[in-house]
Amino acid sequence: MKKQQGNILRHEEASAKDIYLKRPFKYKLLETVFYVIVMFGLLNFLPQNRTAVFIIAMGAAIVIVGFSPMIYKAILHPTYKLSRTHLVMRVGKNEESVALQELQRDSVWKPTYRAGNKKYSVMASQEFLEELDRQIARVQKRGR
């Protein structure tokens, strides 16, 4: 790992905006489940007025979905390092290094990559993802 430090092309910590736009499906599912739990918990306390219930439901959705990226950023601190040969991803306490030779873009629309049977969601800026794609292309072109 120490050898790669001088070889770092780009280092980035994900912003709340990047997390919001590029968070994996499991985070979205967690937010949805939390919203349903909150709404069922509030059911007994909600007024009978339909307008008030609608406003409370929309407010809860905005708060849960709007603030969750900031909570993810505060708790998980997703950081990414791109070297000439590896992508090092740190989300929470888990740090994983993946060789660019093995990495392939899984989707054109989503920032997901696949190495073997494992799928990685990269919650980084568009510039970082473009640099990552260029570096993957270089490494795989050289390897052929």
Side-chain angles (χ1 to χ4, degrees):
M1 185 70 174
K2 293 264 185 198
K3 283 185 178 178
Q4 288 183 8
Q5 294 300 328
N7 222 3
I8 299 294
L9 298 175
R10 193 166 181 126
H11 179 268
E12 184 171 308
E13 184 172 338
S15 69
K17 179 184 172 187
D18 292 328
I19 293 171
Y20 176 74
L21 294 173
K22 298 167 181 148
R23 65 192 187 276
F25 177 74
K26 65 182 177 181
Y27 289 6
K28 294 176 187 177
L29 183 64
L30 180 69
E31 293 166 13
T32 304
V33 169
F34 184 65
Y35 175 74
V36 168
I37 290 169
V38 166
M39 289 309 295
F40 277 126
L42 290 176
L43 230 111
N44 294 332
F45 306 109
L46 292 177
Q48 297 299 323
N49 184 358
R50 293 184 91 184
T51 306
V53 171
F54 177 75
I55 291 172
I56 291 170
M58 289 303 294
I62 290 169
V63 167
I64 290 171
V65 173
F67 287 114
S68 62
M70 290 177 256
I71 294 169
Y72 297 146
K73 181 175 171 57
I75 294 171
L76 299 176
H77 301 290
T79 56
Y80 302 95
K81 293 178 187 175
L82 178 63
S83 73
R84 297 192 189 284
T85 58
H86 286 79
L87 172 65
V88 180
M89 298 169 281
R90 183 179 184 146
V91 179
K93 294 180 182 178
N94 300 329
E95 185 170 313
E96 205 163 338
S97 178
V98 181
L100 295 180
Q101 186 68 32
E102 301 170 8
L103 212 56
Q104 289 184 323
R105 185 87 184 232
D106 198 37
S107 170
V108 176
W109 306 107
K110 294 187 240 172
T112 56
Y113 294 85
R114 186 175 299 277
N117 293 333
K118 199 157 184 186
K119 193 174 178 181
Y120 301 97
S121 291
V122 179
M123 298 178 286
S125 69
Q126 193 62 35
E127 294 83 21
F128 184 90
L129 294 173
E130 289 169 359
E131 180 68 28
L132 174 60
D133 288 337
R134 281 193 296 271
Q135 194 62 28
I136 289 172
R138 279 187 207 132
V139 166
Q140 290 179 350
K141 187 176 179 180
R142 258 187 269 144
R144 288 184 185 158

